Amino acid sequence: MGRPSVRHKLVDAALDVFEAHGFNGASVQDLTDAAGVPKGSFYNHFDSKEKLALEALQAYIARNGIEVLHDEKLAPLERLRRHFRANWKTMKDRGYRSGCFLGSLSSEIADSHEISRAEFGRLFHLWSTAIASVIAEAQTQGAIAPTADAKVLGRFVLHAWQGTLIRAKVVRGDQPYDDFVAMVFGTLLAPPPAAAAPAQASKSALRRK
């Protein structure tokens, strides 16, 4: 493989710098120092710090494990579990200090950067739509009760996930994730009573043997 370009170095470095210091806390000098490139080269590739942040965000999304939501070899709910489990592992590996880059960047600059706000909205929509599609499939298969709108559920689960990551930064422990899993998979997306009954009956039969 060839050596990474200045542009690629800046994008890779931007993820670490923005996650460590925030968008407003990071200067162009911070970004070029982290990338190991001359400061003057920045504007040869990006019109602004915002443009770099949005490109770094695209790189983050590509690495965020969303592809598992489309893996039809897995049962729908297992796809969801693996998706959130992988994202939580990243959070945990970073000492609970760095959550979702999309969520963090949105909360920091959506009010002040209109172009970015529109992009955040688009990405959140794509993410919640992917979740909703998996939920709808689970409903069709009878793994989830079909009483709630899958699109609303998809948006709500993503809302809950973003809140989970924010809370984890404060408590720096697993409780927010454990609560998320318990409520989302144990209650919100639990099997309907008709589907749960045979499984419970089987467990009772095993206990009698």
Side-chain angles (χ1 to χ4, degrees):
M1 294 178 64
R3 296 175 62 186
S5 68
V6 170
R7 187 182 190 92
H8 287 156
K9 288 180 178 179
L10 284 166
V11 171
D12 285 343
L15 275 173
D16 291 334
V17 173
F18 286 139
E19 288 187 331
H21 304 291
F23 179 87
N24 293 316
S27 67
V28 170
Q29 185 72 63
D30 293 330
L31 293 162
T32 54
D33 285 351
V37 301
K39 183 178 180 180
S41 65
F42 179 91
Y43 292 103
N44 293 332
H45 298 277
F46 298 98
D47 295 336
S48 65
K49 193 169 66 168
E50 180 185 13
K51 292 290 182 64
L52 173 57
L54 290 178
E55 190 158 326
L57 180 57
Q58 292 295 336
Y60 170 82
I61 295 295
R63 304 169 189 172
N64 204 35
I66 199 169
E67 67 277 355
V68 74
L69 296 177
H70 306 290
D71 187 353
E72 295 184 356
K73 295 189 297 294
L74 299 171
L77 291 183
E78 179 60 21
R79 287 181 234 164
L80 280 181
R81 287 180 182 276
R82 292 193 184 193
H83 174 64
F84 291 118
R85 190 184 303 137
N87 278 268
W88 181 253
K89 183 179 185 302
T90 300
M91 176 75 165
K92 191 170 182 176
D93 288 346
R94 292 175 176 171
Y96 308 100
R97 296 174 184 271
S98 179
C100 172
F101 184 47
L102 172 57
S104 299
L105 195 60
S106 298
S107 64
E108 187 175 5
I109 70 170
D111 288 342
S112 56
H113 294 71
E114 192 61 26
I115 291 174
S116 290
R117 188 182 73 83
E119 180 64 3
F120 300 151
R122 185 184 75 85
L123 291 172
F124 275 127
H125 173 72
L126 290 175
W127 194 356
S128 65
T129 298
I131 294 171
S133 178
V134 175
I135 290 173
E137 186 177 343
Q139 289 177 328
T140 299
Q141 294 179 4
I144 301 172
T147 51
D149 187 316
K151 292 180 180 178
V152 175
L153 285 174
R155 292 194 296 269
F156 184 81
V157 167
L158 185 52
H159 299 334
W161 180 244
Q162 291 297 315
T164 295
L165 297 180
I166 292 172
R167 185 67 179 273
K169 287 184 176 182
V170 177
V171 302
R172 292 186 181 171
D174 287 343
Q175 184 185 36
Y177 177 72
D178 293 341
D179 291 346
F180 174 85
V181 170
M183 293 307 299
V184 170
F185 295 100
T187 301
L188 190 64
L189 304 182
Q200 186 62 40
S202 297
K203 290 179 182 179
S204 299
L206 287 172
R207 284 196 295 267
R208 289 195 297 270
K209 287 183 179 181

